[in-house]
Amino acid sequence: EVYKKFPDAKLHIVGGGELRVNLEGLAHELGVEHAVVFLGEVPHEEVLQYQEKAGVFVRPSRSEGLGTAFLEAMAQGLPVIGTPVGGILDFLKDGETGLFCKVDDPHDLALKIEKLFTNEALYEKLQNNGRHLVEERYQWNTIAPQMKTIFDHLCAP
């Protein structure tokens, strides 16, 4: 759906797994294989390089832990789109620090991507708010003392 409206858009899929062959087949079946780049497993440092070149970070998870990849993308100033599951709910506020799409709903996901492609003010708001959130709440100099307090409490006699 995004490709139909934005034929210059490219989807870069970082990571591997057992579904890669299925996804490559689906891209071919839909006629968008030239717009999808499967990068496979890459070292963490390279992931950050790909994020620097990206326009949007999208991860429509069915389940999620903390969502560190989202926080890393936000720290680099990427607007993020995710699903309201797991730890994502702790930091992603729809329309403020990112956008939510419905789980297993590719049409809704496409609408959210298109929204970021066409609404510059929203794009910049999510960029700024996301980066600010990470700087304020997820820096090691903030988290480390909190973790120390938790461990001190757990290890106390």
Side-chain angles (χ1 to χ4, degrees):
E1 290 181 45
V2 173
Y3 176 72
K4 288 178 187 174
K5 294 180 183 175
F6 301 93
D8 292 335
K10 297 278 187 210
L11 171 62
H12 291 92
I13 299 178
V14 178
E18 59 192 45
L19 296 178
R20 179 176 176 164
V21 172
N22 296 355
L23 291 173
E24 289 172 334
L26 180 60
H28 179 74
E29 180 183 316
L30 295 172
V32 297
E33 64 271 12
H34 55 281
V36 181
V37 180
F38 292 90
L39 299 165
E41 294 292 333
V42 298
H44 188 263
E45 310 80 56
E46 289 182 35
V47 171
L48 298 176
Q49 292 172 4
Y50 286 112
Q51 286 180 342
E52 287 174 1
K53 298 174 186 172
V56 178
F57 177 87
V58 178
R59 189 168 175 168
S61 307
R62 291 181 173 149
S63 66
E64 191 75 46
L66 170 62
T68 304
F70 286 91
L71 296 171
E72 290 173 345
M74 292 164 82
Q76 289 190 293
L78 280 174
V80 300
I81 301 173
T83 48
V85 297
I88 299 169
L89 292 163
D90 292 336
F91 58 83
L92 201 154
K93 304 301 177 216
D94 193 42
E96 292 297 319
T97 58
L99 294 178
F100 279 134
C101 65
K102 297 174 188 167
V103 175
D104 289 331
D105 189 338
H107 176 71
D108 188 51
L109 175 58
L111 290 175
K112 300 303 165 50
I113 294 170
E114 292 170 15
K115 190 175 198 175
L116 287 177
F117 283 2
T118 59
N119 187 332
E120 188 175 335
L122 177 62
Y123 187 96
E124 290 177 5
K125 175 182 176 181
L126 299 182
Q127 271 187 312
N128 295 331
N129 288 351
R131 187 180 294 121
H132 179 73
L133 172 80
V134 172
E135 290 170 355
E136 186 178 276
R137 291 183 37 203
Y138 293 96
Q139 294 292 328
W140 279 115
N141 59 355
T142 303
I143 294 174
Q146 294 172 356
M147 293 299 289
K148 182 184 180 316
T149 300
I150 291 169
F151 286 127
D152 286 347
H153 176 74
L154 292 173
C155 296

